[in-house]
Amino acid sequence: NPNESDRPRAPASEASAPPAQTAPAAATAGASSGEYLTLGGVVAEVNGTPIYANKVLADIQPILIADAKQMGENEFRSAAQDEIRKAVEAMIRGELVYAAAERNLDQKDKQIAEAMTMRWRQEQINAAGSIELARRRALAVTGKTFATLVPAPSRGHMSGLYYQRKIAPRIQITAQDERNYYDE
């Protein structure tokens, strides 16, 4: 969003709790709690990367739709707030891990992640039959363009390599830990 760069940025430590804003009383359908998220608005920022309200809502939309059909108004409101909070927290964690991966992986690992992403991209094209069919499929299935889907696996590959190379080697499980787990 081009206007987002003009807004003041909150430090990453303040990013864990999205601000609730009081909505104007005009132009709402049905009852409203008086709180809203502005689509395209930044709900959090982590290491200079904004997390937009519309991305949060798009990711949890299927859950919200299913819940809305099964719950009463107050129960749904509570469930929706919980889902939004969990989604924002997950996005913040994802950004933190990705930033750590970018800082701590060497160039060779970054190239491996890029190669994995290109393989994923090619698999999508092959499964669809052509690049044009892959684009159409992406739009039909996800509502997003094929080009906008590619960064997600790229970030996932970087984060996965970071865990594999930097975090997993630090984890030491003793024989006693295994026995305790087995006994439990």
Side-chain angles (χ1 to χ4, degrees), residues 59-135:
D59 287 356
I60 62 172
Q61 183 178 10
I63 296 168
L64 296 178
I65 290 171
D67 286 353
K69 292 177 182 177
Q70 299 173 351
M71 298 176 180
E73 179 183 342
N74 290 335
E75 185 183 13
F76 173 73
R77 181 175 289 122
S78 176
Q81 289 172 345
D82 189 49
E83 286 298 327
I84 290 168
R85 180 191 49 76
K86 289 189 297 187
V88 170
E89 288 172 357
M91 289 178 168
I92 289 170
R93 279 191 306 277
E95 285 298 330
L96 290 171
V97 170
Y98 181 71
E102 280 191 321
R103 272 193 315 273
N104 296 303
L105 289 178
D106 60 27
Q107 193 57 36
K108 182 180 176 184
D109 286 335
K110 291 177 182 179
Q111 289 171 346
I112 290 170
E114 182 63 26
M116 293 167 70
T117 302
M118 290 302 104
R119 185 177 69 222
W120 173 88
R121 182 182 182 279
Q122 193 58 50
E123 287 171 356
Q124 302 306 304
I125 293 169
N126 292 346
S130 72
I131 183 70
E132 184 56 35
L133 292 175
R135 289 176 179 145

Side-chain angles (χ1 to χ4, degrees), residues 15 55 122 181:
K55 172 75 170 112
Q122 193 58 50
Y181 179 78

